């Protein structure tokens, strides 16, 4: 079995129900790395919140952030960026404003939002749900992520296209029907890709800023091929890497639509699905 790289999504995939990387999963990742297989994070998150989670478990790896718009070294150096084109960004913003829809712009230097208070509440609801029997590291990591996100977030009026590099637009709404309508309208622009990482959001990127395309760029310099890549994810923003990787896994907690893009189904993220898959791969590699 010739595997050079294992690419994993974070939320709903690598992270468990407590939104952290479990000890079992961290151990499996390190064992895989020790066998010479590179581990890569491919996430819709930006670098800092993602780094907090890997650092907590001592995992040293590179990152594909913002769905593929920003590729970084383990130390945080941005080596490839694929920003949204100015015309596309302005059209999307104009449309969302006309529809009175909250959105935020993820950039290399921070997050700019139309509704800071609503964003803060969403963040706290997500991280402070206080799940029962949570792990010891949960509170510490949660506090660190909230502090980082709040410190890096600003009002949309401070965004300047001349000064800031727009990597991704996040759109939030609680009604699926509204999000479906927004996706259909926004997708008319051929220069952007509209995906989702959850039932209450849309994610807008440059059409070339998708996880699968980013992985292709990343491995090109290393001399790998996509046939030597294993990918795993759970949401629509994982579609490109599930389709392009030589071997792909969708989580059992993914929707049937997402599962259809993958070769195999992994156990749920709440059942250490990534660890299970890696442990199986290790057995094959050690034969």
């Amino acid at each position: 079995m010739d595997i050079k790289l294992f690419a994993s999504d974070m939320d709903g995939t690598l992270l468990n129900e407590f939104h952290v990387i479990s000890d079992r999963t961290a151990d499996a990742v390190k064992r895989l790395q020790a066998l010479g297989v590179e581990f890569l994070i491919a996430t819709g998150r930006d670098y800092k919140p993602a780094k907090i989670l890997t650092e907590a478990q001592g995992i040293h790896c590179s990152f594909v952030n913002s769905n593929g718009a920003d590729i970084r070294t383990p130390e945080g150096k941005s080596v490839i960026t694929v920003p949204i084109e100015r015309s596309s960004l302005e059209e999307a913003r104009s449309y969302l404003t006309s529809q009175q829809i909250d959105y935020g712009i993820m950039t290399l230097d921070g997050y700019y939002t139309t509704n800071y208070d609503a964003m803060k509440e969403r963040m706290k609801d997500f991280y402070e749900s206080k799940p029962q029997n949570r792990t010891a590291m949960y509170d510490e990591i949660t506090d660190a992520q909230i502090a980082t996100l709040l410190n890096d977030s600003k009002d949309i009026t401070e965004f300047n296209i001349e000064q800031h590099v727009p990597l991704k637009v996040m759109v939030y709404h609680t009604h699926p029907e509204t999000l479906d309508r927004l996706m259909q309208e926004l997708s008319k622009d051929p220069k952007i890709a509209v995906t989702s990482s959850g039932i209450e959001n849309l994610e807008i990127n440059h059409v070339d800023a998708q996880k699968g395309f980013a992985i292709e760029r990343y491995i090109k310099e290393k001399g790998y091929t996509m046939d030597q890549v294993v990918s795993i994810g759970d949401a629509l923003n994982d579609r490109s890497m599930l389709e392009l990787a030589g071997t792909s896994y969708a989580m059992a907690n993914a929707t049937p639509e997402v599962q259809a893009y993958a070769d195999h189904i992994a156990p749920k993220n709440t059942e250490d699905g990534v660890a299970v898959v890696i442990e199986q791969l290790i057995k094959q590699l050690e034969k």
Side-chain angles (χ1 to χ4, degrees):
M1 192 173 192
D2 185 21
I3 301 174
K4 297 295 185 184
L5 183 139
F6 187 99
S8 176
D9 170 53
M10 294 198 90
D11 295 281
T13 303
L14 186 71
L15 307 184
N16 61 18
E17 65 268 39
F18 308 119
H19 311 305
V20 298
I21 302 170
S22 72
D23 291 342
R24 178 182 177 183
T25 299
D27 177 68
V29 168
K30 292 172 188 175
R31 287 170 57 203
L32 187 69
Q33 290 175 316
L35 290 174
V37 177
E38 182 171 1
F39 181 77
L40 176 75
I41 294 290
T43 180
R45 293 176 177 239
D46 58 11
Y47 172 73
K48 289 183 181 178
K51 179 67 171 179
I52 288 171
L53 290 157
T54 56
E55 199 169 51
Q57 284 286 20
I59 296 172
H60 189 74
C61 66
S62 295
F63 296 81
V64 167
N65 300 297
S66 303
N67 288 339
D70 179 32
I71 300 177
R72 300 207 182 200
T73 66
E75 295 72 32
K77 180 182 178 182
S78 185
V79 292
I80 298 175
T81 58
V82 185
I84 302 172
E85 291 190 13
R86 182 171 185 161
S87 60
S88 294
L89 180 63
E90 290 178 346
E91 280 187 29
R93 292 183 67 186
S94 177
Y95 173 68
L96 293 169
T97 299
S98 73
Q99 300 298 305
Q100 299 182 316
I101 301 295
D102 287 339
Y103 67 89
I105 303 175
M106 189 177 291
T107 74
L108 281 176
D109 67 330
Y111 183 74
Y112 298 82
T113 176
T114 58
N115 193 331
Y116 183 86
D117 290 336
M119 180 211 70
K120 185 165 63 174
E121 287 306 310
R122 280 194 303 271
M123 191 184 308
K124 288 187 176 180
D125 288 344
F126 180 74
Y127 288 115
E128 295 187 335
S129 54
K130 301 296 184 185
Q132 294 181 350
N133 303 317
R134 62 187 185 272
T135 60
M137 74 171 76
Y138 176 85
D139 288 331
E140 181 179 350
I141 292 178
T142 297
D143 290 345
Q145 289 185 91
I146 289 176
T148 296
L149 290 166
L150 291 179
N151 287 339
D152 287 347
S153 298
K154 307 174 183 66
D155 189 84
I156 197 70
T157 56
E158 296 186 46
F159 174 77
N160 186 326
I161 191 83
E162 305 293 344
Q163 299 176 1
H164 306 121
V165 180
L167 302 174
K168 184 176 77 167
V169 176
M170 290 291 299
V171 179
Y172 298 98
H173 206 281
T174 56
H175 297 143
E177 299 84 2
T178 299
L179 289 175
D180 287 342
R181 174 172 56 81
L182 294 174
M183 176 178 276
Q184 289 178 17
E185 186 64 30
L186 291 164
S187 296
K188 291 179 181 178
D189 183 347
K191 295 181 180 179
I192 63 173
V194 186
T195 59
S196 174
S197 60
I199 61 173
E200 295 186 350
N201 72 49
L202 294 178
E203 303 186 352
I204 304 170
N205 289 87
H206 188 286
V207 69
D208 292 332
Q210 299 184 54
K211 293 182 182 183
F213 301 154
I215 293 170
E216 285 184 319
R217 293 187 188 95
Y218 180 79
I219 66 175
K220 185 176 181 180
E221 294 182 2
K222 296 175 176 289
Y224 307 159
T225 67
M226 289 301 285
D227 286 342
Q228 297 171 305
V229 173
V230 177
S231 67
I232 187 166
D234 76 305
L236 283 175
N237 63 345
D238 298 313
R239 174 179 175 175
S240 61
M241 71 173 183
L242 295 178
E243 291 185 318
L244 293 174
T247 304
S248 60
Y249 293 81
M251 306 301 290
N253 48 282
T255 64
E257 179 184 5
V258 173
Q259 290 180 0
Y261 299 129
D263 302 317
H264 309 283
I265 305 301
K268 297 178 181 179
N269 66 312
T270 57
E271 299 170 350
D272 286 328
V274 173
V276 172
V277 170
I278 292 178
E279 288 163 0
Q280 291 172 349
L281 292 175
I282 288 173
K283 288 181 180 179
Q284 296 178 49
L285 291 169
E286 290 180 334
K287 286 183 179 178

